[in-house]
Amino acid sequence: MKKILFYFNSMTPAGGIERVIATLANKFSETMEVTILVKDRAYSHYPLNSKVKILSLDNEINFNMNNKLSRVIEAAKNFVTSQRKLKAFLRNNNFDYYYIAHPLNALEFHFAKGMDGSVIVTEHGGIDAYNIVYKKLKNWLYKKARCYCVPTKTDTAVYKSMGFNAVYVPHFKSQLKYEKSTLDNKIALSIGRMTEAKRQWILIDLWNIIVNQHQIKDWQLHLVGEGNLKNIYIQKIKDLKLENYITILPPKKQVEDYYIESSLFLLSSESEGFGMVILEAMGFGLPCISYDSPSGPRDMIVNGENGFLIPYDDFVSLEKSTLQLIQNSEMRKNFSDTAYEDAKKWDDEFIMKKWKEILN
């Protein structure tokens, strides 16, 4: 049986890439020996089946999000220690394949073992999600790998034009207990890390208009997530006197509860490589409204059929579309029915076939 190692900083956060890795590891464990190697504690927020081993380098990285210089210094120190510990680990443990999902992890791996045909690099963020340093690292290291698995059609085409061995491999549907929302509750939902890239402040501003300009006070906005902007959002909600209309909720393993009690889903990201939460929301029959952020949402949302795909940063259209779905229950139901059926058709067989081709 072939063996694969997933190398990633942490599986503790309740983020999209952690969900992707957990789902993929579980799928691979049906036919391969799977090990996940992290830097912090050997724990996954998302369930891993008993066949998947999770180990730690015991080299956790802690960033001070309020000090850029401190983050750079911490990253450099962690890099030196990580590649040394990784080198020792790889000296004593052999694998047929290595799966890496971040440029810094790729750099650590390069100095510990070297990038070659046994390494599979993958993407979760959009093509513009990384800074210039990370982009240079990708251009240098990712072209040495076996292939570059990209989950969106648009980004795959761009990377191919840049000379990468890019392969379009969308993510598997999350392993959740899907059931169709009844749409009985007047709740709009958004799930995501509370960071600059996800831009939930746009949704708070949107809800301020919904409540105070349009006088719609029987709907709630639920924001689910943690992150460096959480306290800023809490204060913003207080300043706008929206405590009765917007609730910030923590991530939890039973994320199904949040989806099933909602009636529409909102996303305001600056960039979305894939947008796993969109596919999850559709799996519960939630109409989705998202900016056409590069580049994942356009692979799932069919504008005017299962949701609204809004021109990027067109706040007026975001407001208009949200109002339409709030005020038109028949449209919500029609979009919900289509979203639910589209999610059921998500082709895991095609995805597994692509992975079998990559892994021979």
Side-chain angles (χ1 to χ4, degrees):
M1 185 178 286
K2 291 192 174 182
K3 297 167 34 174
I4 187 168
L5 177 74
F6 289 73
Y7 178 52
F8 196 58
N9 285 344
S10 173
M11 290 296 290
T12 301
I17 185 59
E18 292 82 10
R19 169 80 80 184
V20 167
I21 290 173
T23 302
L24 195 57
N26 287 335
K27 290 277 189 182
F28 282 1
S29 69
E30 296 170 10
T31 56
M32 303 178 74
E33 289 185 26
V34 178
T35 302
I36 300 175
L37 181 64
V38 296
K39 295 183 181 181
D40 57 0
R41 63 189 177 120
Y43 168 82
S44 174
H45 173 83
Y46 298 111
L48 297 173
N49 70 39
S50 59
K51 295 179 184 178
V52 178
K53 290 188 289 187
I54 182 165
L55 305 173
S56 174
L57 288 179
D58 193 25
N59 190 40
E60 184 174 0
I61 185 166
N62 292 301
F63 282 135
N64 178 357
M65 297 309 295
N66 298 314
N67 188 317
K68 188 174 181 179
L69 179 59
S70 171
R71 293 200 300 273
V72 171
I73 294 171
E74 176 62 25
K77 288 165 55 180
N78 187 271
F79 170 81
V80 171
T81 309
S82 291
Q83 66 89 21
R84 176 173 52 82
K85 289 190 171 189
L86 179 61
K87 188 172 186 177
F89 175 86
L90 295 174
R91 193 181 302 124
N92 298 311
N93 297 273
N94 295 315
F95 298 88
D96 298 289
Y97 302 105
Y98 303 88
Y99 177 103
I100 298 173
H102 193 276
L104 280 183
N105 294 145
L107 186 62
E108 290 163 351
F109 190 91
H110 176 69
F111 281 103
K113 183 181 183 296
M115 298 287 283
D116 57 27
S118 64
V119 180
I120 298 160
V121 287
T122 190
E123 191 60 86
H124 186 70
I127 197 167
D128 292 322
Y130 296 112
N131 61 38
I132 189 168
V133 175
Y134 284 174
K135 287 178 180 178
K136 286 185 179 297
L137 284 177
K138 287 168 68 175
N139 193 57
W140 170 39
L141 294 173
Y142 283 21
K143 290 178 180 179
K144 301 175 185 290
R146 183 183 190 85
C147 65
Y148 185 13
C149 297
V150 183
T152 63
K153 296 174 183 176
T154 303
D155 284 358
T156 301
V158 175
Y159 280 121
K160 281 184 176 180
S161 73
M162 295 167 63
F164 289 83
N165 182 23
V167 181
Y168 170 59
V169 188
H171 295 320
F172 286 107
K173 193 175 176 183
S174 300
Q175 297 168 312
L176 303 177
K177 297 175 183 176
Y178 292 99
E179 61 176 292
K180 195 168 183 291
S181 169
T182 61
L183 308 184
D184 289 336
N185 300 317
K186 294 183 176 181
I187 295 172
L189 176 69
S190 185
I191 298 178
R193 289 178 181 166
M194 294 185 174
T195 61
E196 288 78 4
K198 299 299 182 181
R199 308 191 305 173
Q200 288 94 339
W201 67 80
I202 292 173
L203 301 182
I204 296 173
D205 288 338
L206 169 67
W207 221 251
N208 185 41
I209 291 172
I210 296 292
V211 171
N212 292 309
Q213 289 189 21
H214 298 285
Q215 293 295 302
I216 296 174
K217 302 192 175 185
D218 56 346
W219 274 76
Q220 293 277 320
L221 172 63
H222 287 181
L223 301 176
V224 177
E226 296 285 349
N228 60 295
L229 297 182
K230 180 178 177 179
N231 290 334
I232 293 173
Y233 291 157
I234 290 171
Q235 188 59 50
K236 182 178 177 71
I237 291 166
K238 286 181 180 177
D239 292 344
L240 294 171
K241 297 181 171 54
L242 293 171
E243 298 101 315
N244 294 329
Y245 308 102
I246 302 177
T247 304
I248 291 180
L249 298 164
K252 62 179 180 178
K253 290 189 176 183
Q254 293 76 30
V255 69
E256 294 96 331
D257 297 342
Y258 290 140
Y259 287 117
I260 199 66
E261 71 180 9
S262 303
S263 293
L264 64 92
F265 189 87
L266 297 168
L267 200 65
S268 54
S269 301
E270 180 180 26
S271 176
E272 277 293 342
F274 182 78
M276 181 61 76
V277 287
I278 294 176
L279 183 57
E280 290 178 359
M282 289 171 59
F284 290 89
L286 298 187
C288 294
I289 303 175
S290 173
Y291 280 140
D292 187 14
S293 309
S295 58
R298 69 186 67 158
D299 282 358
M300 291 171 278
I301 297 176
V302 181
N303 189 49
E305 293 186 19
N306 59 18
F308 286 117
L309 191 63
I310 309 300
Y312 186 68
D313 270 357
D314 185 345
F315 186 84
V316 173
S317 293
L318 177 66
E319 176 190 348
K320 179 182 175 182
S321 297
T322 305
L323 277 173
Q324 278 186 274
L325 279 179
I326 284 176
Q327 296 174 331
N328 190 330
S329 59
E330 185 176 354
M331 178 183 284
R332 277 201 313 278
K333 183 184 182 305
N334 290 338
F335 280 14
S336 170
D337 291 343
T338 305
Y340 187 67
E341 291 303 316
D342 287 348
K344 282 202 299 186
K345 295 172 189 172
W346 194 253
D347 197 347
D348 277 9
E349 255 183 57
F350 164 79
I351 300 168
M352 183 55 79
K353 182 181 177 183
K354 296 292 290 185
W355 276 113
K356 285 179 178 178
E357 291 172 0
I358 291 166
L359 300 172
N360 287 334

